[in-house]
């Protein structure tokens, strides 16, 4: 198992906890430069009644506090679903070195599907993007969640 797959497994565990709390199953972890998890989070919009409580936003905030620095330029964020525009912007603003995501989001994805915020050549900072890691597991969680909630 690669580092990205093992990290995605941890993000999937977070996503499952989000679903058990009634939120869309999206999970995220942030790795330091040595590949150790320094932050983890999941969607908590329903739990917190907060439209900004996306897994990525919460993980970025936690990693910044953990490191005592808003610049996460040696870190990698791993998330089960392609980030939305807000979260993709936060990835760029935090100067994350790399984004690894699982499933593509054809309705709101802002890294490849609807927009490509992170690789826009007009931006001063563009992280590496790796997509499709354990995508089928992420897709299955999302499909099950929406089947139960529609």
């Amino acid at each position: 198992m690669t580092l990205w797959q093992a990290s995605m497994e941890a993000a999937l565990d977070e996503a499952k906890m989000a679903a058990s709390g009634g939120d869309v199953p999206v999970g995220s972890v942030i790795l330091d430069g040595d590949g150790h998890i320094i932050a983890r989070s999941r969607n908590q919009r329903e739990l917190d009644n907060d439209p900004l409580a996306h897994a990525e936003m919460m993980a970025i905030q936690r990693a910044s506090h953990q490191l005592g620095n808003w610049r996460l330029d040696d870190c990698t964020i791993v998330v089960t679903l392609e980030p939305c525009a807000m979260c993709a912007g936060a990835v760029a603003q935090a100067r994350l070195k790399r984004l690894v995501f699982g499933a593509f989001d054809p309705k709101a994805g802002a890294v490849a599907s609807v927009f490509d915020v992170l690789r826009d050549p007009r931006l001063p900072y563009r992280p590496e993007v790796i997509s499709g890691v354990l995508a089928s597991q992420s897709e299955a969680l999302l499909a099950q969640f929406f089947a139960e909630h529609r």
Side-chain angles (χ1 to χ4, degrees):
M1 182 176 286
T2 69
L3 174 61
W4 304 144
Q5 290 169 328
S7 302
M8 188 62 73
E9 289 283 353
L12 285 163
D13 289 342
E14 292 292 323
K16 291 171 188 169
M17 287 189 271
S20 69
D23 219 318
V24 176
V26 178
S28 181
V29 298
I30 295 185
L31 312 174
D32 66 13
D34 295 324
H36 299 107
I37 294 175
I38 59 168
R40 50 180 76 227
S41 191
R42 58 190 162 274
N43 274 1
Q44 293 182 209
R45 293 179 305 169
E46 298 297 332
L47 180 66
D48 295 350
N49 288 314
D50 182 354
L52 305 180
H54 288 210
E56 301 95 313
M57 301 293 284
M58 311 276 293
I60 289 168
Q61 195 171 52
R62 289 174 182 164
S64 295
H65 290 157
Q66 175 74 18
L67 297 177
N69 193 340
W70 65 267
R71 290 177 190 88
L72 303 176
D73 52 5
D74 198 32
C75 296
T76 297
I77 186 165
V78 179
V79 63
T80 58
L81 182 65
E82 177 185 359
C84 68
M86 174 181 71
C87 294
V91 167
Q93 290 298 316
R95 307 294 194 264
L96 281 147
K97 179 178 184 176
R98 183 180 302 108
L99 162 70
V100 177
F101 72 89
F104 286 88
D105 184 350
K107 292 183 180 180
V111 179
S113 297
V114 178
F115 306 107
D116 194 348
V117 171
L118 295 180
R119 291 176 284 207
D120 189 313
R122 296 170 291 184
L123 293 178
Y125 186 82
R126 290 181 298 281
E128 176 186 2
V129 175
I130 299 170
S131 59
V133 177
L134 301 184
S136 60
Q137 289 92 320
S138 297
E139 292 164 357
L141 271 177
L142 289 161
Q144 179 183 355
F145 177 83
F146 287 115
E148 292 172 0
H149 288 84
R150 287 192 174 153

